[in-house]
Amino acid sequence: MSETPASAQAEQERFGFQAEVVQILDLVVHSLYSNKDIFLRELISNASDAIDRLRLEMLSRSESPTDEGPLQIRVSFDPDAGTITVADNGVGMSRQEVIEHIGTIAKSGTREFLRSLTGDQRKDATLIGQFGVGFYSAFIVADRVSLTTRRNGLPADQGVRWESDGKGEYTLEPAELPSRGTTIVLKLREGEEDLLNDYRLRSIIQKYSDHISLPILMPSPPGEGTGEAAETAAGEKPVNQASALWARSKSELTDQDYQDFYRHVAGDYSDPLAWVHAKIEGTYEYTLLLFIPARAPYDLWMPQSGRGVKLHIRRVFIAEDSGQLLPQYLRFIRGVIDSNDLPLNVSRELLQGSRVVDQIRSTATKRVLKLLAEFAASDPDKYAAFWKEFGALLKEGMAEDFSNRDEIAKLLRFTSITSGREQADVSLGDYVGRMKEGQEKIYYLLAPSLAAATSSPHLEAFAKKGIEVLLLTEDIDNWLVDSLRDFDGKRLQSAAQGTADLGPLEDEAEAEAKQQASAEFADLVAKLKVILAGQAHDVRVTSRLTTSPACIVADEPDTGISPMRRLTGTGLPSQPVLEINPQHPLVRRLNREPADPNLAEWAHLLYDQAVLTLGARIEEPAAFVAKLNDLLVTLTSEPDAPAVPPEDAAEPPQDAAEPSSPGEDG
């Protein structure tokens, strides 16, 4: 951001917007006309947040936020001046805060916002609130915006006036303000005069902001009522119900009420997938209104991203959740928790050691998991949409929340070799229900990608027998299998770990063939162990392969430390085992020719091929290619052809150059 005072002597200073702000303002003005009413929704929402911050700030100092009068938001218009005014008596801003919050977007989501406002989404006005740039929506309808504000606690002469036409610059000057808070005046652009209407503004407020628990006041229309009512009409009246929606009975609320409130509390203007609204009475009394979003917020995976649940105490906003109200893996949940038992001046330290909070956390977590289970059972397509956005977080929960481990496990979804779909739609319950007769384990395969998993040689024997294998391709899956050791009495087993033991699924003939192959190939295995010493932890004959010559598996001791991923930098298990297929022609050829001078090259080639099919990296790619080329030359050479020196090969033999005619006998 450039800062260039127009004059060193003048009180008014001129500044240039941050580059990203200029881009956003241009898009707002020229692209977001599909729903221009959102400007009022955003300004009222910002005013509500400012009052919430004031409450929190003053209550933390044991001061009353209403000492200067009731907390409220005012909306008015002036047809003659062509202006709309939105004012609040919230926390206000200092001069530096105005520069930081209005002239600069210090938001991690700025680039995502700009990227989202392209192509078919350029007219998607719902994106404004999602990325915290709601103030700029004023320029949808205004060609000039003036903001005057005074920070709570600062003297009257420390007020600030900000003004801009949204075209790249803004001005700042001192202002004498008798009270704290912020007032925004919008000078409407030509063609927006229909907004200078009492009924129109009231309709917008009631549509988008009726749920806000603060009174939103507008001047009463002139001449409304008679007598005492006329005197009241000369002042202001609330436009919204100004009641905490979560405190109202569920029978009074419609789906639209819940959806509107979700948009306000979550800053997300798509409808939520589902919600739970419950009033808990007993040892402790509290109310839950929690929503499951339809899409992940842009900052979900950012370390400092905020939580979406707000703590209220007796309807007064106290703080956003910092990890006490819901566990980390449910950080995507949005909503409100309102307690009757906590003190208004509660601190973060008190929250951490509170039995009330522990009870709230336990109940809220169980209610959310129950809600997920209900719509997973009733609407699999809706749950599939949820899983695509938030499934990885539930996998975190397996390690984080042992007390709810079984409930979380039922919510997990996977792809598998028999599901036939890339979408993760197989539950562990589905898997167990489809297990083969005699199958004792739930088989899975960890792989770097779905393509690598589906083409893995480790699946060959399972595919041949029609045994389902779950395909785990996300980084979090390495930690998942550490926490999820069994389900419904069935132990989880990696298809790429340990010996290929399918238990009762192998018949006597297969078991006998395995023993015979082990004996027949014992000498070859012993030689391969010597050649690959230092690379392969072990070499053995396997029955897990049907078409591939070899594969790499993790040795059995890796069981407790996430086989196939608690790995070295190459992507190999800490104790890689080379398994060879006794039915493959290449392996059988090596076994028939124990004196093959190229056995060492073949051994390294088999090992490196197995490393590649695992999805890992070979340590010396150039050496691998050289060995492969040498072996190809050896295989394509004619064994009976005499060796021809290069210099003699340049000229053909004379007899060959001048062949004798059939009539000549020499």
Side-chain angles (χ1 to χ4, degrees):
M1 181 188 74
S2 62
E3 183 172 336
T4 55
S7 168
Q9 306 299 323
E11 287 188 331
Q12 186 184 81
E13 296 177 286
R14 189 173 300 275
F15 297 81
F17 277 119
Q18 185 191 35
E20 288 86 348
V21 177
V22 177
Q23 290 179 268
I24 289 174
L25 286 171
D26 180 70
L27 288 168
V28 165
V29 172
H30 295 102
S31 301
L32 299 180
Y33 280 104
S34 58
N35 184 10
K36 62 186 179 183
D37 292 351
I38 65 168
F39 84 92
L40 190 54
R41 175 193 70 194
E42 291 299 325
L43 296 181
I44 290 175
S45 180
N46 288 348
S48 174
D49 289 343
I51 293 175
D52 281 343
R53 289 196 298 273
L54 174 73
R55 282 171 168 166
L56 180 60
E57 183 177 291
M58 299 193 73
L59 287 171
S60 66
R61 300 198 299 260
S62 299
E63 298 175 4
S64 172
T66 59
D67 284 347
E68 294 186 18
L71 301 174
Q72 53 198 8
I73 301 168
R74 288 185 168 89
V75 177
S76 61
F77 65 97
D78 184 341
D80 296 330
T83 60
I84 293 176
T85 301
V86 179
D88 68 74
N89 55 353
V91 71
M93 288 180 283
S94 65
R95 181 181 183 279
Q96 186 59 36
E97 286 172 329
V98 170
I99 294 174
E100 291 176 355
H101 298 310
I102 306 298
T104 302
I105 302 181
K107 301 282 185 181
S108 55
T110 300
R111 291 184 179 178
E112 288 83 351
F113 175 78
L114 293 169
R115 190 180 302 119
S116 298
L117 289 176
T118 57
D120 295 337
Q121 294 183 329
R122 287 182 68 89
K123 293 184 180 293
D124 187 358
T126 64
L127 290 166
I128 280 187
Q130 181 186 355
F131 289 94
V133 292
F135 172 78
Y136 301 107
S137 65
F139 288 99
I140 294 177
V141 298
D143 56 19
R144 179 161 291 276
V145 176
S146 174
L147 176 149
T148 53
T149 184
R150 198 193 88 190
R151 184 69 163 82
N152 179 51
L154 294 181
D157 61 357
Q158 292 295 305
V160 181
R161 176 173 290 106
W162 177 100
E163 191 168 320
S164 176
D165 60 4
K167 295 180 180 178
E169 292 184 333
Y170 64 91
T171 62
L172 277 182
E173 59 183 312
E176 184 85 15
L177 298 178
S179 59
R180 65 166 188 253
T182 301
T183 299
I184 300 172
V185 179
L186 283 63
K187 179 65 173 70
L188 299 186
R189 65 178 69 252
E190 186 176 350
E192 303 296 344
E193 293 81 6
D194 61 312
L195 291 168
L196 300 172
N197 179 283
D198 182 83
Y199 176 78
R200 177 71 188 282
L201 293 178
R202 289 174 183 270
S203 298
I204 295 173
I205 293 171
Q206 289 169 351
K207 179 178 181 179
Y208 292 111
S209 307
D210 195 56
H211 55 272
I212 288 180
S213 57
L214 295 159
I216 303 172
L217 305 178
M218 282 189 67
S220 300
E224 182 180 278
T226 59
E228 184 178 341
E231 294 179 8
T232 305
E236 295 173 314
K237 285 187 175 180
V239 180
N240 62 326
Q241 293 196 31
S243 64
L245 179 136
W246 61 87
R248 294 159 59 185
S249 170
K250 289 191 288 185
S251 61
E252 300 177 12
L253 302 172
T254 65
D255 287 353
Q256 190 63 50
D257 291 328
Y258 285 114
Q259 290 163 358
D260 289 342
F261 180 75
Y262 167 75
R263 294 185 181 98
H264 167 67
V265 77
D268 177 10
Y269 300 104
S270 57
D271 291 339
L273 284 178
W275 58 83
V276 56
H277 184 191
K279 185 174 183 180
I280 313 300
E281 296 178 331
T283 306
Y284 305 113
E285 292 187 6
Y286 49 93
T287 300
L288 310 173
L289 179 50
L290 304 175
F291 296 88
I292 298 173
R295 59 184 181 184
Y298 72 93
D299 60 349
L300 181 66
W301 298 101
M302 295 179 182
Q304 303 302 322
S305 63
R307 304 297 186 90
V309 176
K310 297 182 178 181
L311 173 65
H312 287 66
I313 297 176
R314 295 186 288 281
R315 305 186 188 182
V316 175
F317 172 71
I318 297 299
E320 292 187 352
D321 182 24
S322 57
Q324 289 88 4
L325 300 178
L326 281 175
Q328 172 77 1
Y329 71 94
L330 293 180
R331 60 186 178 274
F332 59 89
I333 296 296
R334 301 293 186 256
V336 168
I337 296 177
D338 190 353
S339 170
N340 288 336
D341 299 293
L342 291 168
L344 286 173
N345 61 347
V346 66
S347 64
R348 179 174 295 185
E349 291 73 21
L350 181 59
L351 287 177
Q352 291 174 341
S354 169
R355 291 185 179 180
V356 179
V357 173
D358 290 343
Q359 178 64 38
I360 291 174
R361 178 188 177 100
S362 175
T363 302
T365 301
K366 291 183 182 299
R367 290 291 181 119
V368 169
L369 296 178
K370 181 181 179 182
L371 178 62
L372 289 171
E374 287 173 351
F375 86 80
S378 62
D379 195 338
D381 291 337
K382 181 187 286 189
Y383 189 77
F386 161 81
W387 183 260
K388 183 178 179 181
E389 297 288 326
F390 303 109
L393 294 181
L394 288 189
K395 291 180 179 180
E396 286 182 16
M398 288 301 302
E400 182 182 346
D401 188 359
F402 187 79
S403 62
N404 290 300
R405 175 182 174 278
D406 292 341
E407 287 73 19
I408 299 172
K410 294 174 184 177
L411 296 171
L412 301 178
R413 295 294 183 268
F414 306 92
T415 54
S416 81
I417 60 174
T418 59
S419 65
R421 299 175 64 184
E422 292 188 5
Q423 184 176 342
D425 59 354
V426 178
S427 70
L428 292 172
D430 295 335
Y431 183 102
V432 171
R434 296 197 291 256
M435 286 174 64
K436 293 281 187 180
E437 184 178 354
Q439 183 178 345
E440 299 174 342
K441 300 174 183 176
I442 298 172
Y443 294 98
Y444 68 87
L445 178 68
L446 288 164
S449 68
L450 187 60
T454 53
S455 60
S456 172
H458 300 101
L459 301 179
E460 292 174 6
F462 295 94
K464 180 180 179 181
K465 289 184 172 294
I467 300 172
E468 188 168 16
V469 179
L470 301 176
L471 307 178
L472 280 60
T473 59
E474 296 181 325
D475 290 339
I476 188 65
D477 290 329
N478 303 298
W479 310 103
L480 174 67
V481 295
D482 265 354
S483 306
L484 183 62
R485 297 298 182 83
D486 60 81
F487 178 82
D488 198 19
K490 309 291 184 181
R491 188 167 71 87
L492 270 70
Q493 170 70 43
S494 171
Q497 172 212 311
T499 57
D501 179 16
L502 298 180
L505 296 173
E506 288 186 337
D507 55 33
E508 293 183 6
E510 289 173 324
E512 184 177 344
K514 184 190 296 186
Q515 292 181 354
Q516 182 177 347
S518 297
E520 181 182 347
F521 286 78
D523 290 341
L524 176 62
V525 167
K527 292 178 180 179
L528 294 179
K529 286 182 180 180
V530 174
I531 295 170
L532 297 175
Q535 288 181 283
H537 176 72
D538 195 8
V539 180
R540 60 190 177 217
V541 174
T542 186
S543 61
R544 83 170 80 231
L545 301 172
T546 59
T547 59
S548 300
C551 68
I552 297 289
V553 300
D555 196 32
E556 201 72 48
D558 272 348
T559 300
I561 53 170
S562 284
M564 310 307 291
R565 278 296 210 287
R566 208 61 53 79
L567 313 172
T568 66
T570 62
L572 284 170
S574 58
Q575 295 181 329
V577 174
L578 178 68
E579 293 191 343
I580 58 174
N581 177 7
Q583 303 303 319
H584 194 276
L586 176 57
V587 177
R588 297 189 68 81
R589 178 186 181 280
L590 295 178
N591 194 50
R592 287 196 308 269
E593 301 180 16
D596 187 339
N598 296 313
L599 181 60
E601 284 74 12
W602 283 116
H604 288 292
L605 180 66
L606 281 175
Y607 182 84
D608 287 342
Q609 281 183 336
V611 170
L612 290 175
T613 57
L614 179 66
R617 299 193 310 274
I618 53 178
E619 294 183 359
E620 299 182 29
F624 167 72
V625 173
K627 290 187 183 74
L628 179 61
N629 289 337
D630 290 344
L631 290 171
L632 289 174
V633 169
T634 301
L635 291 175
T636 55
S637 304
E638 296 183 16
D640 297 328
V644 181
E647 61 273 14
D648 294 337
E651 298 181 7
Q654 186 174 359
D655 290 344
E658 301 178 2
S660 60
S661 66
E664 294 177 297
D665 55 7

